[in-house]
């Protein structure tokens, strides 16, 4: 079996804007292995959610995507729509953010979880519903056989996230792409969601998050995104113990438990991405001459980092 | 003592047909000194936000008393009440819902000047903006054109126009990423050092409250306890 489950090569996403095209994702190379749990972290607007959607070509029609996304020997960006529809949900599932309007408010929860089972696995309605109920039960919805007939507004935030995960795994997808599963939820729910994601053993999971607490406990590998580029990829222990990129170090130093030290300045505007030089250089405490050129992604024993400090 | 609440209680009635009582705050005692940061942590639904609304006078308690600078706010006359409202301000969790989406930022930031009859001048507004690290160009933007961190800064600037003595911070950073969170907390600490404001910091993040606050209360099922 191919050890790499999903691989993006030179993936670039651009959106039309009054000034021309804006680059939300810029030349991303990222591979996730079978059974691996990876977290993609970065601040708001760094392009991490767009990257996740681009992997399954779920972006709005105006978006311009280039590069390759390899899954089981196929380039998903060039697959015909019908083939892609069989992959989406059936093999690679997208789990949206739980706090927003990801669930249909006028359909019962059980019906929504049963839908991918009828569509992808060819079940009839009744057995699909039974399967949906057992799935909800397994993911910790109390009294699932009754609550499956309730509507999303009767569910709490943590339970909605459970339902979305249930929909994601309903058609037995092996690769899950989860968008900010812990955004805006409180401490207890966060722990609940962490345990829920940990319970999905043997799945390949790529999650986008800015929650480092969750990342530390959940992920085996961490990728950091800054201004549309991947700036660091490392194993979890490496990232939290010995972060290399100055941005990654600043990110960790900003944690309350590690001193709450803010990084001055702001991420560069999208329009300035075309300018030469490292995109972090304006906020970087270690900036030097070479930062005028754009750094490539260097590799040091499996730890990848986009910074001239590590050029050797 | 700047703010002191004694045996504060608040009950909500919920349900359409069958009325049910929910005790949000039960017999709570809490005090905040001048220039101090006091934390209140608890899970969602524990009554944290209700406490903030009560202490800023946006909700009326069912029982108990609130003293502001030694005066019982229930006994205040209309004019004094306005002064108290000006002195006790609140910043909410979702800055995007705290601004009128149809107004450019300048209109939202100018509003407290005429509501509280403070003489308006561009310089004083620009000074407030500079204090929170925003620029004049931000004033011409609509809320959707600003990031969460920028909007939260604008909310702080809007509150600082009134030069309050007491600000309730209702989860001001829970929707923001780690670096933006550290920036906002740093900004709040700076303002406190300069102006001597007192904060009531409502949060679900124990780590953050531990670093930011001098004293931390825990709120559980409507009851307050000092940790």
């Amino acid at each position: 079996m191919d050890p790499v489950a999903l691989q993006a090569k030179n993936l670039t996403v651009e959106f039309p804007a009054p000034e021309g095209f804006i680059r939300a994702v810029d030349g991303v190379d990222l591979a996730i292995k079978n059974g691996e749990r990876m977290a993609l972290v970065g601040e708001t607007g760094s392009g991490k959610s767009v990257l996740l959607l681009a992997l399954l070509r779920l972006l709005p029609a105006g978006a311009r995507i280039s590069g390759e996304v390899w899954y089981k020997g196929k380039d998903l960006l060039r697959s015909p729509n019908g083939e892609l529809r069989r992959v989406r949900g059936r093999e690679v599932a997208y789990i949206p953010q739980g706090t927003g309007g990801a669930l249909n408010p006028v359909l019962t929860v059980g019906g929504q979880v049963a839908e991918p089972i009828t569509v992808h696995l060819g079940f009839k309605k009744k057995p699909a519903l039974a399967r949906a109920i057992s799935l909800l039960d397994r993911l910790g919805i109390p009294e699932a056989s009754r609550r499956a007939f309730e509507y999303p507004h009767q569910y709490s935030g943590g339970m909605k996230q459970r339902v979305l995960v249930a929909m994601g795994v309903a058609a037995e997808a092996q690769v899950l792409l989860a968008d900010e599963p812990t955004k805006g939820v409180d401490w207890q729910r966060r722990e609940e969601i962490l345990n829920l994601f940990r319970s999905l053993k043997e799945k390949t999971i790529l999650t986008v998050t800015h929650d480092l607490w969750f990342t530390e406990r959940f992920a085996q590998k961490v990728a950091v995104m800054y201004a549309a580029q991947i700036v660091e990829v490392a194993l979890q222990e490496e990232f939290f113990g010995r972060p290399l990129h100055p941005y990654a170090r600043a990110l960790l130093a900003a944690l309350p438990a590690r001193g709450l030290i803010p990084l001055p300045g702001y991420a560069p505007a999208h329009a300035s991405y075309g300018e030469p030089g490292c995109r972090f250089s304006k906020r970087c405490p270690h900036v030097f001459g070479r930062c005028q050129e754009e750094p490539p992604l260097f590799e040091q024993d499996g730890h990848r980092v986009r910074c001239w400090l590590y050029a050797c | 003592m700047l703010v002191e609440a004694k045996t504060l209680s608040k009950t909500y009635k919920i349900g359409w047909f069958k009325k049910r009582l929910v005790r949000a705050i039960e017999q709570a005692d809490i005090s905040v000194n001048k220039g101090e940061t006091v934390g209140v942590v608890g899970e969602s639904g524990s009554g944290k936000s209700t406490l903030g609304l009560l202490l800023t006078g946006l909700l009326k308690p069912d029982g108990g008393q609130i003293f502001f600078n030694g005066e019982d706010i229930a006994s205040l006359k209309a004019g004094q009440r306005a002064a108290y409202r000006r002195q006790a301000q609140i910043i909410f969790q979702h800055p995007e819902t705290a601004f009128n989406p149809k107004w450019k930022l300048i209109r939202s930031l100018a509003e407290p000047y005429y509501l509280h009859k403070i003489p308006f001048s561009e310089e004083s507004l620009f000074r407030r903006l500079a204090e929170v690290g925003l620029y004049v160009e931000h004033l011409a933007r609509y809320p959707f054109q600003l990031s969460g961190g920028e909007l939260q800064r604008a909310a702080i600037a809007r509150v600082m126009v009134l030069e309050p003595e007491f600000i309730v911070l209702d989860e001001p950073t829970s929707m923001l990423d780690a670096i933006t969170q550290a920036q906002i907390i740093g900004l709040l600490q700076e303002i406190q050092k300069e102006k001597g404001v007192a904060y009531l910091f409502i949060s679900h993040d124990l780590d953050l409250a531990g670093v930011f606050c001098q004293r931390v209360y825990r709120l559980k099922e409507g009851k307050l306890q000092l940790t």
Side-chain angles (χ1 to χ4, degrees), chain A residues 26-284:
Chain A
D26 193 356
V28 163
D29 287 305
L30 196 66
I32 178 159
K33 290 187 193 133
N34 271 312
E36 194 170 53
R37 299 196 298 240
M38 187 191 273
L40 184 61
V41 302
E43 57 194 86
T44 329
S46 60
K48 53 196 193 316
S49 295
V50 173
L51 169 60
L52 204 64
L53 289 168
L55 293 176
L56 279 178
R57 232 164 74 195
L58 286 168
L59 290 168
R64 226 165 48 181
I65 314 177
S66 62
E68 296 157 26
V69 176
W70 289 95
Y71 175 76
K72 287 197 176 160
K74 283 174 292 198
D75 181 0
L76 295 184
L77 295 185
R78 278 161 199 85
S79 301
N81 281 334
E83 200 171 309
L84 195 59
R85 264 200 296 278
R86 279 193 294 279
V87 173
R88 283 184 194 143
R90 177 77 182 88
E91 297 183 40
V92 182
Y94 173 73
I95 300 175
Q97 227 179 83
T99 46
L103 290 167
N104 189 330
V106 297
L107 295 180
T108 60
V109 167
Q112 293 184 62
V113 179
E115 191 187 347
I117 304 173
T118 55
V119 172
H120 290 294
L121 304 181
F123 276 54
K124 289 266 181 303
K125 260 191 176 171
K126 268 204 176 142
L129 193 60
R131 204 177 150 112
I133 290 170
S134 81
L135 200 60
L136 288 170
D137 183 53
R138 217 170 60 225
L139 289 172
I141 300 287
E143 298 178 71
S145 52
R146 179 176 67 79
R147 300 217 58 163
F149 296 96
E150 290 185 352
Y151 292 86
H153 75 269
Q154 293 163 296
Y155 277 53
S156 73
M159 281 162 72
K160 276 188 216 163
Q161 189 68 56
R162 272 160 206 275
V163 172
L164 291 169
V165 169
M167 288 167 75
V169 299
E172 294 169 347
Q174 280 309 305
V175 183
L176 303 176
L177 310 175
D179 193 8
E180 304 254 24
T182 60
K183 188 169 188 176
V185 300
D186 72 26
W187 209 238
Q188 264 206 330
R189 296 283 119 64
R190 204 139 56 131
E191 202 133 6
E192 216 181 282
I193 291 170
L194 174 67
N195 288 332
L196 172 66
F197 273 80
R198 275 186 176 161
S199 71
L200 302 170
K201 295 205 179 81
E202 291 157 24
K203 302 267 187 211
T204 307
I205 304 177
L206 174 63
T207 159
V208 154
T209 182
H210 63 229
D211 183 346
L212 294 167
W213 180 92
F214 179 78
T215 304
E216 188 170 7
R217 282 155 188 82
F218 172 72
Q220 295 159 338
K221 215 176 210 179
V222 182
V224 184
M225 220 167 157
Y226 185 79
Q229 292 174 322
I230 298 277
V231 295
E232 181 157 349
V233 183
L235 291 175
Q236 182 265 6
E237 317 84 72
E238 283 268 303
F239 175 75
F240 284 94
R242 199 175 61 95
L244 294 183
H245 197 280
Y247 174 71
R249 282 192 239 154
L251 200 61
L252 290 173
L255 288 178
R258 298 195 187 200
L260 199 70
I261 302 157
L263 173 72
Y266 305 98
H270 287 97
S272 72
Y273 287 178
E275 292 167 17
C278 169
R279 288 175 195 176
F280 187 63
S281 59
K282 288 203 176 65
R283 304 169 83 182
C284 184

Side-chain angles (χ1 to χ4, degrees), chain A residues 42-44 183-190 210 212 247 250-251 254-257 260-266 283, chain B residues 43-44 93 132-133 135 150 153 174-183 185-186 189 204-205 207-208 211-212:
Chain A
E43 57 194 86
T44 329
K183 188 169 188 176
V185 300
D186 72 26
W187 209 238
Q188 264 206 330
R189 296 283 119 64
R190 204 139 56 131
H210 63 229
L212 294 167
Y247 174 71
L251 200 61
L255 288 178
L260 199 70
I261 302 157
L263 173 72
Y266 305 98
R283 304 169 83 182
Chain B
E43 324 160 0
S44 39
Q93 177 178 15
V132 298
Y135 304 108
E150 284 168 343
R153 282 163 197 278
S174 70
M175 302 300 282
L176 306 174
D177 59 82
I179 285 179
T180 315
Q181 166 170 290
Q183 282 176 344
I185 298 291
Q189 283 171 328
H204 59 246
D205 190 339
D207 283 353
L208 182 59
V211 181
F212 182 42

Side-chain angles (χ1 to χ4, degrees), chain B residues 105-160:
Chain B
L105 201 58
I106 185 159
R107 192 162 167 200
S108 289
L109 290 186
E111 201 184 18
Y113 284 92
Y114 66 83
L115 282 182
H116 288 273
K117 301 190 178 63
I118 299 166
F120 177 82
S121 70
E122 280 187 346
E123 297 87 79
S124 86
L125 182 62
F126 291 171
R127 206 164 50 239
R128 298 292 171 219
L129 270 187
E131 276 170 8
V132 298
L134 292 179
Y135 304 108
V136 176
E137 63 189 64
H138 289 119
L139 286 174
R141 298 203 193 151
Y142 288 98
F144 76 89
Q145 293 168 313
L146 294 159
S147 72
E150 284 168 343
L151 272 179
Q152 202 58 289
R153 282 163 197 278
I156 294 171
R158 183 169 59 176
V159 156
M160 291 315 295

